[in-house]
Amino acid sequence: MRAYRISQANEKPKYLDIEPPKPGPGQLGVTIRCAGLNYADLLIQNGTYQDIPTAPFTLGMEIAGLVSAIGESVEGFSIGDRVAVFAGQGGLAEAGVFESARTVRIPDSMSFEEAAGFQIAYGTSHLALAHRANLRPGETLLVTGAAGGVGLTAVEIGKLMGARVIAHARGADKLAVAKAAGADHLIDDSEDLRARVLELGGADVVYDAVGGDAFRAAFRACNPEGRLICIGFASGDVPQIPANHLMVKNLTAIGLYIGGYFKFRAEVAQESLATLLRWYEEGRLKPHVSHVLPFDQIEQGMNLLRDRKSTGKVVIRIS
């Protein structure tokens, strides 16, 4: 089968023909229909991600497809089940083997394209806002990078949770996407972010996947007892937080890495995903996939993320 693999550290990924894997105990074999791309895929290739698999490995953190084989001691799945997996690796291939504990059945109404880009983006935002920051109805939520893969879901979930949402993004087209997802106020990247947020009454919760100047401006626009959630650093600039400012304004800085929950509190991530899938079935969530590309255009998809030319998710259709 074909797979998009990194053969050794510091080497660029290539399409290779490899033997199809067979599931062991606790694992499922899956015929992969679609795989979601994530900014973390770029960081893994650059060697700068916090959780890089040992080479050789196949890229692709999340997938959707059909169960093709069932390993020993696995219960609750049948051959042919439509499933999604947040695997961390192995997704950009025609087939894969994944832990059953990371696998969920998807609703019949959910397309493979939607399912392949659902778990990381929505899971990250729901865990960040509901579990970590305890976002409350009526509070003001500021989302930087609000048209990106995770940012757009933060806008949508924040609005669903009853917050007033301020979306910060680059350009009218991206801001329009954030508005369609529920944003109440829009701030272009060319504007003075701190001044505009303060004009709107300040932020109670900041959801930041950008870092750099955007984080620093958002930090200074927080209301007392504000919570700042660090999701990522797409700008490449990891900001330093002045602890004395945290103290004076009684602020809380919060880190969120969804992959970590599968290592130390998997039940939290699983409960969150169950809630999100229920919301999807109830029609309360509408995933936004801006690009669906064929298997031989993975690099084009990565460039869309690298150049910030996508909104929502970029998905690779494998078969």
Side-chain angles (χ1 to χ4, degrees), residues 289-305:
V289 179
S290 66
H291 295 79
V292 179
L293 302 175
F295 192 23
D296 61 358
Q297 291 185 17
I298 293 173
E299 190 53 41
Q300 288 90 323
M302 297 289 188
N303 286 337
L304 289 170
L305 299 183

Side-chain angles (χ1 to χ4, degrees), residues 27-56:
Q27 295 181 326
L28 293 168
V30 179
T31 299
I32 300 172
R33 291 293 181 82
C34 291
L37 297 186
N38 292 275
Y39 194 80
D41 291 312
L42 296 176
L43 299 180
I44 289 172
Q45 292 181 61
N46 295 337
T48 56
Y49 194 55
Q50 64 264 19
D51 191 5
I52 300 176
T54 301

